[in-house]
Amino acid sequence: MADTKKHATLTIGDDSYELPIHSPTAGPDVIDIRALYGKAGVFTYDPGFTSTASCDSTITFIDGGKGELLHRGYPIDQLAGQSHYLEVCYLLLYGELPSAAQLEAFEFSITHHTMLHEQMVNFFRGFRRDAHPMAIMVGVVGAMSAFYHDSTDISDERQREVASHRLIAKMPTIAAWAFKYHIGQPFVYPRNDLDYASNFLRMCFAVPAEDYDVNPILSRAMDRIFTLHADHEQNASTSTVRLASSSGANPFACIAAGIACLWGPAHGGANQACLEMLEEIGTVDRIPEFIARAKDKNDPFRLMGFGHRVYKNHDPRATVMKQSADEVLELLGVEDNPKLQVAKALEKQALEDPYFAEKKLFPNVDFYSGIILEAMGFPTSMFTPIFALSRTVGWISQWKEQLGDPQMKIGRPRQLYQGETARDYQDIEDR
Ligand code: SDX
């Protein structure tokens, strides 16, 4: 916990209460209200946690005003441009960039944990073929706690480490097999001679009749997408993982909870919703109609891939993603992709519109990612599973940090009760 030399004074009626203020290494000060209910008998009220810090953390920092995202202090654009996903995983998990030897050992461990227990194949076969891959991922990841009993004891540091590596290593296999099952093709097993992103692409697109030669530019773009989604402070799914973990649940159950939360279209499901929106818009001349709908308070439609709880400037991940989209589509010879043209025109028109400017709504990480993924050959249903695969290291790093926090308690918010006060039961004859 940072220093607490400053205090806030809260006055309620004739009483005043001093509340410590903690100053961070970056970002706003926080007012420590933990003792408030005990002292003053009142709760604070913050639905959606717009002004609430839920924990201490040293992993990721976001400055929404500047559009800055740091992982252990390193800017996301530098990591996306100069590092690679497994090195970023090491950084998020252990706090520092690895030495060559540390990176080699880490990559060896991840590479040699990519296979699933063969009996888990039965789990996939239990789903309908048209099951959404996210439904399969939630089920299979939760089921890992029934197969990897030797890494579920959260009080054992070695078991926490093994579970962390297993989850990072196996998520590409689980996501790829969910995809293969969905399209009715046989599972393709991971290979140890491929890097993390290439292995994932091959498991998705190879078939027994024909192997898949991974284009290095596509695997680099895939790796960059993993990095851009790796962690993002205390977002909804990460907070879900932390809350689940606070009860002592095993890591596989906690990550399954995070996957379930990420699925929503307001969160990780926005990349799929965004591409479906671009498909619905269809042509540039229809953009004004959809911008008008997004501004209409009586219309629930929102521009998917736009806006963010924290960023009130450009999402730095969207900037990198847009550059990557240009590169990948040019490589694939589809730079005139109609969805990319609509996306660029939509971004331009929205950013010129006073509504979006006043509300500080900018494209977020989900606005361009789907265009790249679709160009790579993924159906929209695979966009959020790829987000979940990428975010697993962030969830696990935050889970690990929370378990090491001496202040950790079970998360148990209170409420502003607006229901009936006590009343007596009435027999049915008297109602
Ligand atoms: C992710 O938290 C994270 O870090 C998440 C994430 C991560 O890496 O983990 O960054 C990943 O989830 C990115 C966001 C993906 N979601 C979408 O793209 C869905 C579309 N966006 C919106 O649903 C919305 O912007 C949210 C959910 C992202 C943020 O919602 P907030 O912070 O609760 O903001 P809000 O709903 O209170 O909106 C503020 C105002 C409202 O207008 P008023 O009621 O004040 O008049 O802005 C409007 C909103 O109506 N608004 C939009 C809009 N987003 C907000 N209007 C039109 N289109 C939009 N997209």
Side-chain angles (χ1 to χ4, degrees):
M1 176 66 73
D3 69 283
T4 56
K5 296 183 183 61
K6 297 182 282 188
H7 287 81
T9 301
L10 176 66
T11 301
I12 302 176
D14 299 330
D15 300 314
S16 292
Y17 305 92
E18 286 220 326
L19 301 170
I21 289 179
H22 306 305
S23 294
T25 50
D29 282 354
V30 301
I31 299 173
D32 188 334
I33 58 165
R34 284 174 289 184
L36 181 62
Y37 179 56
K39 283 181 176 176
V42 296
F43 297 144
T44 57
Y45 182 64
D46 186 12
F49 310 120
T50 52
S51 302
T52 293
S54 60
C55 61
D56 285 31
S57 185
T58 61
I59 299 172
T60 291
F61 175 72
I62 304 171
D63 183 323
K66 286 198 282 187
E68 181 182 54
L69 167 58
L70 307 178
H71 289 319
R72 302 290 191 180
Y74 295 98
I76 188 63
D77 55 321
Q78 291 184 27
L79 293 173
Q82 301 168 54
S83 183
H84 64 277
Y85 182 66
L86 284 189
E87 184 176 72
V88 172
C89 287
Y90 186 98
L91 174 66
L92 289 169
L93 277 170
Y94 302 111
E96 297 294 339
L97 289 169
S99 66
Q102 288 167 329
L103 181 59
E104 184 183 1
F106 180 71
E107 292 187 337
F108 182 89
S109 172
I110 298 301
T111 299
H112 291 81
H113 278 88
T114 52
M115 288 182 67
L116 287 178
H117 188 296
E118 190 61 16
Q119 190 113 356
M120 293 197 82
V121 168
N122 299 331
F123 269 96
F124 290 85
R125 301 205 193 292
F127 288 94
R128 284 177 36 161
R129 285 286 180 181
D130 60 355
H132 193 291
M134 283 297 278
I136 297 175
M137 287 189 80
V138 171
V140 172
V141 172
M144 287 176 75
S145 47
F147 282 84
Y148 299 104
H149 301 100
D150 59 342
S151 59
T152 53
D153 177 357
I154 61 170
S155 65
D156 179 329
E157 187 170 347
R158 174 65 187 147
Q159 291 197 34
R160 291 204 297 268
E161 180 91 343
V162 170
S164 303
H165 287 207
R166 277 176 166 158
L167 279 158
I168 292 167
K170 296 179 193 308
M171 287 302 262
T173 309
I174 293 169
W177 286 15
F179 175 46
K180 284 303 204 185
Y181 185 74
H182 189 60
I183 59 177
Q185 290 184 357
F187 297 144
V188 174
Y189 285 78
R191 274 188 14 199
N192 292 351
D193 61 331
L194 295 175
D195 65 67
Y196 193 85
S198 301
N199 219 350
F200 174 65
L201 288 171
R202 183 179 168 278
M203 286 192 282
C204 288
F205 297 119
V207 288
E210 186 175 344
D211 207 341
Y212 173 80
D213 292 329
V214 182
N215 180 316
I217 294 180
L218 291 190
S219 62
R220 177 73 191 125
M222 188 80 261
D223 188 275
R224 190 181 299 134
I225 287 175
F226 292 159
T227 294
L228 292 172
H229 289 83
D231 189 48
H232 212 237
E233 199 211 70
Q234 305 311 318
N235 58 83
S237 52
T238 297
S239 299
T240 300
V241 171
R242 278 181 171 261
L243 198 55
S245 167
S246 73
S247 74
N250 75 68
F252 307 111
C254 294
I255 299 304
I259 296 171
C261 176
L262 185 76
W263 195 357
H267 189 14
N271 48 24
Q272 173 174 345
C274 180
L275 211 83
E276 289 161 357
M277 173 189 74
L278 294 174
E279 280 167 354
E280 187 185 358
I281 294 172
T283 53
V284 173
D285 63 318
R286 293 193 64 205
I287 288 174
E289 169 197 335
F290 284 83
I291 286 185
R293 285 187 57 196
K295 293 159 63 175
D296 179 356
K297 283 293 155 233
N298 300 316
D299 188 330
F301 173 78
R302 288 193 166 180
L303 288 187
M304 303 316 284
F306 248 80
H308 200 277
R309 171 62 60 77
V310 177
Y311 289 120
K312 301 309 172 190
N313 197 321
H314 284 271
D315 178 338
R317 302 168 298 176
T319 306
V320 177
M321 199 74 81
K322 183 175 177 180
Q323 292 158 4
S324 195
D326 285 334
E327 286 167 21
V328 169
L329 270 65
E330 185 182 352
L331 167 86
L332 296 174
V334 288
E335 57 270 34
D336 58 350
N337 173 305
K339 292 190 190 79
L340 180 61
Q341 305 316 317
V342 169
K344 288 184 172 180
L346 174 59
E347 176 186 10
K348 183 174 185 303
Q349 291 184 37
L351 294 183
E352 289 167 352
D353 187 299
Y355 173 91
F356 293 88
E358 284 155 20
K359 294 181 185 299
K360 300 186 185 323
L361 301 174
F362 292 87
N364 58 49
V365 69
D366 294 307
F367 191 67
Y368 284 102
S369 57
I371 291 167
I372 303 173
L373 295 173
E374 184 187 59
M376 286 180 170
F378 290 104
T380 54
S381 61
M382 274 302 290
F383 294 1
T384 310
I386 289 168
F387 193 152
L389 181 175
S390 313
R391 182 55 57 87
T392 295
V393 65
W395 290 330
I396 276 295
S397 301
Q398 301 269 352
W399 166 80
K400 183 182 168 196
E401 179 177 71
Q402 175 170 280
L403 288 178
D405 183 347
Q407 298 179 100
M408 192 194 88
K409 301 165 74 77
I410 188 167
R412 206 306 189 184
R414 302 304 301 275
Q415 62 182 6
L416 169 62
Y417 179 66
Q418 304 274 37
E420 295 286 344
T421 53
R423 53 181 173 165
D424 294 327
Y425 179 81
Q426 289 176 304
D427 293 333
I428 196 162
E429 307 80 54
D430 303 329
R431 289 173 204 161

